Amino acid sequence: QVQLVESGGGLVQPGRSLRLSCAASGIFFAINSMGWYRQPPGKQRDLVAVINSAGNTNYVDSVKGRFTITGDNAKNTVYLQMNSLRPEDTAVYYCNADIRTTYYGGGDYWGKGTLVTVSS
């Protein structure tokens, strides 16, 4: 009974910016952490950025200084602000969440992904 819905992807020119959003909805007690992963064409899915309920963040080295992950607890939403985009940032971006759904625990959930294409 948990859904993650991403939005904000699209086609942009190198050097431009995009902001991705991911909203969690359904029946759950709390969100422990949310993050963004990406999968370039023909490559594996890797972590981009993550934020936990305390606001602590972590980024893959290739996006440090360019991307910023933030969260809005009241809206159960996480954002990824992507600046100075490069062609190598082209990928399907997936939202991920570690969610407590019951008294005993929870699990790992994924959105369906949103495509970001960086090209001139």
Side-chain angles (χ1 to χ4, degrees):
Q1 294 292 343
V2 178
Q3 300 85 40
L4 301 178
V5 180
E6 305 103 331
S7 63
L11 174 64
V12 297
Q13 296 181 356
R16 298 286 189 176
S17 298
L18 279 178
R19 189 179 76 159
L20 306 182
S21 300
C22 175
S25 63
I27 302 173
F28 53 84
F29 293 104
I31 300 174
N32 298 318
S33 65
M34 297 185 73
W36 291 95
Y37 290 69
R38 67 185 181 186
Q39 187 168 18
K43 298 182 179 180
Q44 68 180 22
R45 185 182 301 186
D46 292 318
L47 177 71
V48 178
V50 63
I51 185 169
N52 67 15
S53 59
N56 300 314
T57 60
N58 193 28
Y59 300 88
V60 67
D61 286 344
S62 60
V63 308
K64 289 181 178 178
R66 299 189 298 123
F67 292 9
T68 303
I69 187 169
T70 58
D72 186 334
N73 290 331
K75 296 181 178 180
N76 293 321
T77 299
V78 66
Y79 305 93
L80 185 67
Q81 178 67 43
M82 304 185 294
N83 299 326
S84 301
L85 283 163
R86 305 166 180 170
E88 53 264 41
D89 295 318
T90 296
V92 177
Y93 284 71
Y94 296 91
C95 181
N96 171 264
D98 178 15
I99 299 178
R100 183 179 180 183
T101 55
T102 70
Y103 175 82
Y104 297 101
D108 200 42
Y109 295 86
W110 292 90
K112 293 183 178 180
T114 184
L115 177 62
V116 173
T117 302
V118 185
S119 177
S120 59

